[in-house]
Amino acid sequence: MLVRSLEEILGTERDVEGGNWNSRRLLLAGDGMGFSLHDTILRAGTTTPIHYQNHLEAVYCIEGHATVELVPSGEKFEIKPGTVYALDLNDKHLLTAHVDTRMVCVFNPAVVGNEVHDENGVYPAATDAAK
C-alpha cells in the first residue's frame, strides 16, 4: 500500500510550478498505478491554454471558481466546488480561474512528474517526458 500526504511533497520535485498553476503530484507513473493524481492550484485571474493530446484528464473542483472554454467551439462551462469535468476527447480548451481555484486532477496515462505545458498547452507523451 502507498500512503503519501500533500504536506510531505510540498517543496519537493513533485511540487511543480507552471506559471498560472502549481501542481502537487501525489501519484506519478513511477508509483505503478496506471494513472497520476494531482492536487492543483490555479491562480486567480489567469487563463491557461491546454490541449492534452497524449493524455485523458478528469478534474474535480474542491475550491474556487473557474471557467472551461472549448476551442474552437467557444462553448463554456462554469466550474465550482463539487463539479467534475472530463476531457475524454483530448479537448483543446482554455481554463480561466476567477479566484484561486483548487482542483484534483487525474491523468491517464500517468505523467512522469516533470511535465509542464509546451507552447501548445500539451504535456509530452510519457515516454518523451521520461527522457
Side-chain angles (χ1 to χ4, degrees):
M1 174 164 33
L2 175 68
V3 176
R4 182 175 290 130
S5 72
L6 178 61
E7 200 171 75
E8 70 187 75
I9 67 167
L10 294 176
T12 73
E13 69 280 351
R14 287 177 176 259
D15 189 0
V16 178
E17 169 60 42
N20 293 350
W21 49 266
N22 184 248
S23 177
R24 293 85 62 88
R25 297 170 176 185
L26 294 158
L27 293 173
L28 293 169
D31 294 317
M33 296 295 295
F35 60 89
S36 57
L37 179 70
H38 311 199
D39 182 316
T40 300
I41 304 294
L42 305 171
R43 292 191 176 81
T46 63
T47 297
T48 306
I50 304 173
H51 189 193
Y52 294 125
Q53 297 172 356
N54 304 305
H55 300 85
L56 297 178
E57 183 192 28
V59 180
Y60 182 67
C61 180
I62 57 175
E63 183 178 309
H65 177 227
T67 303
V68 174
E69 179 181 347
L70 295 179
V71 176
S73 76
E75 187 175 10
K76 292 183 181 181
F77 303 90
E78 292 298 313
I79 308 300
K80 59 185 181 179
T83 304
V84 66
Y85 66 92
L87 299 159
D88 59 337
L89 300 174
N90 302 98
D91 310 279
K92 186 174 186 179
H93 61 287
L94 299 172
L95 182 57
T96 300
H98 305 292
V99 298
D100 284 349
T101 301
R102 186 174 177 195
M103 303 200 174
V104 175
C105 308
V106 178
F107 285 88
N108 181 14
V111 303
V112 174
N114 58 348
E115 294 90 344
V116 293
H117 301 123
D118 69 11
E119 65 279 358
N120 298 309
V122 177
Y123 279 170
T127 55
D128 296 336
K131 294 178 183 176

